Amino acid sequence: MPAGRALSRPTRRSRDRRRWVTIALFLLPALVLYGLLVIAPVVQAIYYSGFDWNGLGSLDDFVGLENFRRAFSDDVFVGALKHNGFFIGLSLLLQLPFALAMALLLQARLRGRALLRILYFAPFVLSEVVTAVIWTLMLQPDGLVDQSLDRAGLDPLIHQWLAEPGIVLWSLFVVISWKYFGFHMILYLAGLQQIPRELEEAAMIDGATRLQVLRYVTLPLLGPTIRISAFLSVIGALQLFDLIWVMTGGGPVNSSNTMATYLIDWSFKRFQFGYASAVAVIMLVISLLFALFWQRFVLRRDIDGALTTMGR
Amino acid sequence: MFRSVGWMVGVLAVTALVAAGCGGDDDDSDGSASKSGGPVTIEWWHIQNNDPMKTIWADAAKQYEADHPNVKIKITVLENEAFKTKLTTNMQSGNVPDMFQSWGGGTLKEQADAGLIKDVSEDTSSWIGDLNDAAVGLYQIDGKQYGVPFNLGMVGIWYNKALFKKAGIDAPPETWDEFLDDVNKLKAAGITPLAVGEKDKWPGMFWWANLSMRIAGKDAMAQAGEDGSFDSEGFVKAGAELKRLIDMEPFQDGHLAAPWDGAGGEAATMGNGRAAMDLMGQWAPSTFAANAKDKKGPDVGWFPFPVVDGGAGSADEQFGGGDGFAFGKDAPPETVDFAKFLVSPEIANKAGASGSTLPVYKGTENSVEDPNMKAVLDARSDAAFVQLYLDQAYAPAVGQAINDAVQGLFAGKSSPEDVAKNIADAAKAG
């Protein structure tokens, strides 16, 4: 026995080594790309964020953390943060429940449900810019929305949808929901299909009402899908850019800025790349902290044995 | 968990947007350091993305290539905003096009300070005197020539003749009080007096800037450019007069969300005859037409910004700016020669006759036939002083601060005092 063990040890070690070489070779292309396109720019942004820099010339005015202090004392940036929070909150409270309701409806055996599924999913396929242009046309004064309301006798409801600071966020939220609810609906439909019918039938036979089946069987089993969909929704709301940039440019009077539109405004319009980099770093930290938190605590059971435990 | 990893990459990628432009320094090797006579490529970026200028310039480049077989001209045509973004990213990587659109002023100065553009004082000294002095001056920094102008226009008020007639206005107003009277007359006739595109912010800035010129005067504006004293009395008064106008509610519905150009914009409002007046530069009539349903637009006339009683400014001081070319630091010598060809009477006369450019080569003004353009040109030739657009004249951060502050006034969120103070704060910080 001891002799045998002594013999097998070097072979196992060399097999291990070969395995690691293989793993490294497979990882290399991805790591190089990730390093060049993701890590390096992030490091650069962190570096720039310490300088007062107009994007041209040399980095010679080091200001330490001043750019960060400036961001958090700027009402416009704090406002942009709040707007991101607004979109996160409403997405979780309104958009996702709506998508779930639609998924539950379309799971039932309806005539033409395939067509409805496609129709609801279609907006997700459009690019954000195309969506933004279409909706800008519809929401302009006396555009399709106003005319429809007028014909329906609802003209007191007509507003300057994109021009009133108090309304613009809601208008944008409707457009964002229109574009994205179909995606979440498809996620939920996929999740629902994985729930065995027997469980729901068993509950019914035991005398559960439809609502009870939904509450105690369907929803808990749909949990992993809901948690992932909420995760994607929050990350998406933190990054909101294209649609808002095209529709309002963050206005009027900064009432629809998000972190990303604020960032672009200060980099490519005001040429304060040092400060804009600091904003980018703040955005990165918020997104990263949220992603880590969600994976560690909320998604823990769903992804057990995957990323967070390193396969062990 | 591949999906969430993918999304995190997305987050990082958005973050990296700024930095990505800053990486890499693939120097443009072709074209630089060429011997004369050897093959040369000139990389030229311009923003004349609409005809007639787009074609006139493409033909000019072909003609130049035919006359100089060793020169190849690589043209990149970009839309205004796209151009600014692309140029910035390229500049950060040190990869500057050989010749590109420039408005002069504060941005040109930042580029020159960073050593990214070429001092062309010597290359142009033999012929720059043939061009309009005010236009040439916009491209001078500390006595050195950093660019060549091809166009110089003025901002003034465009008015729809038919709507003026309908409201019973016989002659364009000359003073601010007459102007406000006309606004009231138009309102009384059920006509929207003014169009503005406050989504883009700079159209509103034009109002504040013109009033500042008329009330605070050009000296106060130059002074403020030096020491940031945008909070002095004249500027506050200018803001108060603008507020007086805004409080009359003369602008079209939804103007806070309207862009200048494009769907539901200021130009579409004017082009479709839904507002009577518009404060804009010489490019306005062609944009009205492009945004009009009939592709022609209304019959418009032009008058210079009215004079304010008791103000420091006079009627012959104009607000405007032009277009020109700046040159990348490594541009081959042929580039400046090509620019000379582009501003020469041969091309300038065509540009002037097309009605979309007010050429600056002395004598080519006569090529302009369009009566509206002629009106602008007359004001230009009588002008004792031309104030460059504020978002170009000052550093970009100050220019944007002015745009923002004035938007606050339009939205009823800030007072004239706030506006003056916000601009002064930004100017003093910058």
Side-chain angles (χ1 to χ4, degrees):
Chain A
M1 274 305 267
R5 206 196 281 159
L7 257 179
S8 76
R9 209 179 288 150
T11 20
R12 194 200 292 153
R13 203 179 293 156
S14 74
R15 208 192 310 137
D16 273 2
R17 200 178 303 138
R18 238 181 301 141
R19 208 176 114 223
W20 280 111
V21 170
T22 315
I23 290 174
L25 276 176
F26 272 113
L27 274 176
L28 196 65
L31 278 181
V32 168
L33 281 179
Y34 192 78
L36 277 178
L37 299 177
V38 180
I39 303 291
V42 167
V43 171
Q44 258 184 329
I46 293 173
Y47 177 62
Y48 293 150
S49 71
F51 293 87
D52 183 1
W53 184 49
N54 68 0
L56 308 167
S58 56
L59 291 154
D60 44 19
D61 191 359
F62 183 74
V63 294
L65 294 175
E66 167 61 20
N67 283 334
F68 292 92
R69 193 200 59 74
R70 187 174 147 198
F72 285 109
S73 57
D74 179 6
D75 292 342
V76 178
F77 177 71
V78 174
L81 261 179
K82 285 183 186 155
H83 301 151
N84 278 111
F86 173 90
F87 287 120
I88 292 174
L90 285 195
S91 297
L92 295 181
L93 291 176
L94 293 177
Q95 185 190 340
L96 298 189
F98 178 71
L100 181 60
M102 294 306 284
L104 289 169
L105 276 178
L106 286 185
Q107 195 205 11
R109 299 214 162 274
L110 284 172
R111 262 156 70 92
R113 87 180 161 169
L115 181 71
L116 286 174
R117 283 181 187 181
I118 292 170
L119 280 181
Y120 292 143
F121 186 68
F124 180 69
V125 181
L126 294 179
S127 84
E128 287 211 1
V129 175
V130 173
T131 312
V133 173
I134 294 172
W135 277 90
T136 308
L137 286 171
M138 297 207 303
L139 290 172
Q140 64 175 309
D142 208 26
L144 184 69
V145 172
D146 287 0
Q147 285 181 14
S148 309
L149 286 173
D150 194 33
R151 297 276 156 81
L154 295 171
D155 46 296
L157 287 181
I158 291 177
H159 283 278
Q160 295 185 5
W161 302 108
L162 297 174
E164 283 178 39
I167 285 181
V168 62
L169 279 182
W170 292 92
S171 305
L172 289 170
F173 175 70
V174 168
V175 179
I176 290 164
S177 300
W178 177 82
K179 176 158 166 51
Y180 286 104
F181 90 89
F183 169 70
H184 294 283
M185 185 192 80
I186 290 288
L187 285 186
Y188 295 144
L189 275 169
L192 286 170
Q193 257 153 28
Q194 297 193 347
I195 299 174
R197 282 295 292 157
E198 294 85 356
L199 288 177
E200 287 168 356
E201 279 164 10
M204 300 265 228
I205 288 166
D206 286 345
T209 62
R210 291 190 79 94
L211 216 60
Q212 282 170 324
V213 173
L214 180 69
R215 169 70 186 82
Y216 294 105
V217 180
T218 314
L219 284 185
L221 286 172
L222 200 58
T225 314
I226 292 175
R227 288 189 283 270
I228 280 289
S229 133
F231 177 76
L232 296 180
S233 186
V234 173
I235 292 288
L238 282 172
Q239 300 173 25
L240 270 181
F241 172 72
D242 318 31
L243 202 133
I244 292 177
W245 190 248
V246 175
M247 289 187 72
T248 69
V253 235
N254 297 315
S255 54
S256 65
N257 264 327
T258 61
M259 281 188 285
T261 62
Y262 182 86
L263 189 168
I264 294 294
D265 190 44
W266 278 89
S267 50
F268 288 99
K269 295 233 150 165
R270 290 160 212 256
F271 299 96
Q272 301 225 344
F273 281 87
Y275 178 56
S277 296
V279 173
V281 170
I282 294 171
M283 198 169 146
L284 170 74
V285 168
I286 293 176
S287 303
L288 201 61
L289 283 182
F290 168 76
L292 290 176
F293 163 82
W294 199 261
Q295 296 204 355
R296 189 80 188 82
F297 296 104
V298 181
L299 295 179
R300 197 172 181 185
R301 274 186 311 170
D302 306 334
I303 56 173
D304 207 13
L307 194 73
T308 42
T309 53
M310 295 305 282
R312 242 172 273 141
Chain B
M1 246 357 280
F2 289 108
R3 194 184 282 137
S4 74
V5 172
W7 273 89
M8 282 172 52
V9 173
V11 184
L12 292 164
V14 167
T15 317
L17 230 162
V18 177
C22 318
D25 37 11
D26 49 325
D27 258 12
D28 183 16
S29 53
D30 62 293
S32 56
S34 63
K35 288 172 247 116
S36 70
V40 168
T41 304
I42 297 174
E43 211 182 304
W44 176 27
W45 291 11
H46 71 71
I47 58 167
Q48 305 299 322
N49 56 337
N50 287 322
D51 273 332
M53 283 312 288
K54 191 180 170 188
T55 309
I56 291 175
W57 274 359
D59 292 347
K62 273 188 211 126
Q63 192 184 338
Y64 191 85
E65 283 177 341
D67 296 345
H68 303 79
N70 63 319
V71 178
K72 262 207 73 63
I73 296 161
K74 203 177 135 208
I75 304 180
T76 308
V77 186
L78 293 155
E79 185 276 330
N80 190 11
E81 295 301 318
F83 163 78
K84 289 182 189 167
T85 310
K86 191 168 158 73
L87 184 70
T88 310
T89 1
N90 268 49
M91 287 221 159
Q92 287 177 353
S93 63
N95 185 7
V96 190
D98 299 320
M99 182 163 115
F100 56 93
Q101 164 75 26
S102 171
W103 295 268
T107 310
L108 188 74
K109 185 172 187 310
E110 287 195 344
Q111 291 163 352
D113 287 348
L116 290 165
I117 54 174
K118 196 173 186 171
D119 171 4
V120 292
S121 312
E122 271 181 41
D123 300 336
T124 58
S125 59
S126 62
W127 50 273
I128 198 92
D130 295 334
L131 308 181
N132 176 298
D133 299 331
V136 169
L138 298 178
Y139 297 86
Q140 279 167 354
I141 295 157
D142 302 331
K144 289 182 193 147
Q145 195 72 35
Y146 278 98
V148 174
F150 64 86
N151 184 25
L152 179 66
M154 301 289 141
V155 166
I157 297 176
W158 297 95
Y159 66 99
N160 183 320
K161 288 180 180 165
L163 292 180
F164 260 42
K165 211 172 162 192
K166 199 173 149 198
I169 304 167
D170 326 314
E174 282 176 10
T175 68
W176 182 243
D177 290 332
E178 285 172 28
F179 172 78
L180 294 180
D181 274 353
D182 290 345
V183 167
N184 277 331
K185 277 186 202 159
L186 286 160
K187 271 187 84 94
I191 299 163
T192 303
L194 292 160
V196 73
E198 265 308 280
K199 182 191 175 208
D200 288 346
K201 299 178 192 174
W202 53 264
M205 175 273 286
F206 281 3
W207 285 98
W208 186 83
N210 273 289
L211 280 165
S212 293
M213 271 187 70
R214 293 287 185 252
I215 296 172
K218 64 180 201 292
D219 295 335
M221 291 186 88
Q223 176 77 22
E226 295 286 320
D227 63 8
S229 56
F230 284 99
D231 45 3
S232 63
E233 199 196 342
F235 292 103
V236 177
K237 264 193 191 160
E241 285 303 317
L242 178 53
K243 186 163 169 30
R244 202 170 131 204
L245 175 67
I246 293 168
D247 287 346
M248 292 162 71
E249 299 186 351
F251 297 103
Q252 86 275 24
D253 277 353
H255 59 268
L256 286 176
W260 151 243
D261 194 354
E266 177 179 350
T269 306
M270 278 300 287
N272 293 315
R274 293 169 67 169
M277 292 187 278
D278 193 350
L279 178 62
M280 196 45 67
Q282 78 285 356
W283 59 85
S286 59
T287 319
F288 294 158
N291 281 277
K293 287 200 177 107
D294 60 4
K295 295 291 159 206
K296 290 203 305 254
D299 186 15
V300 292
W302 186 88
F303 60 89
F305 198 85
V307 187
V308 181
D309 283 340
S314 62
D316 61 356
E317 291 164 2
Q318 303 296 345
F319 180 76
D323 301 278
F325 305 117
F327 304 93
K329 61 182 190 310
D330 298 323
E334 286 83 353
T335 318
V336 181
D337 188 58
F338 175 55
K340 181 186 170 192
F341 172 67
L342 279 179
V343 299
S344 69
E346 189 177 350
I347 306 299
N349 280 327
K350 277 188 213 164
S354 78
S356 57
T357 299
L358 300 178
V360 295
Y361 195 97
K362 286 173 189 162
T364 59
E365 292 92 342
N366 299 329
S367 65
V368 175
E369 287 160 3
D370 182 273
N372 284 325
M373 292 297 136
K374 272 201 161 132
V376 178
L377 263 184
D378 287 345
R380 185 178 99 182
S381 52
D382 295 343
F385 171 79
V386 175
Q387 169 68 48
L388 182 62
Y389 307 124
L390 300 191
D391 52 355
Q392 299 294 345
Y394 304 131
V398 178
Q400 291 296 325
I402 297 177
N403 290 352
D404 274 356
V406 176
Q407 197 196 31
L409 197 60
F410 270 85
K413 294 231 164 186
S414 22
S415 67
E417 290 78 14
D418 297 338
V419 174
K421 184 179 175 303
N422 290 346
I423 298 170
D425 286 352
K428 283 168 187 163

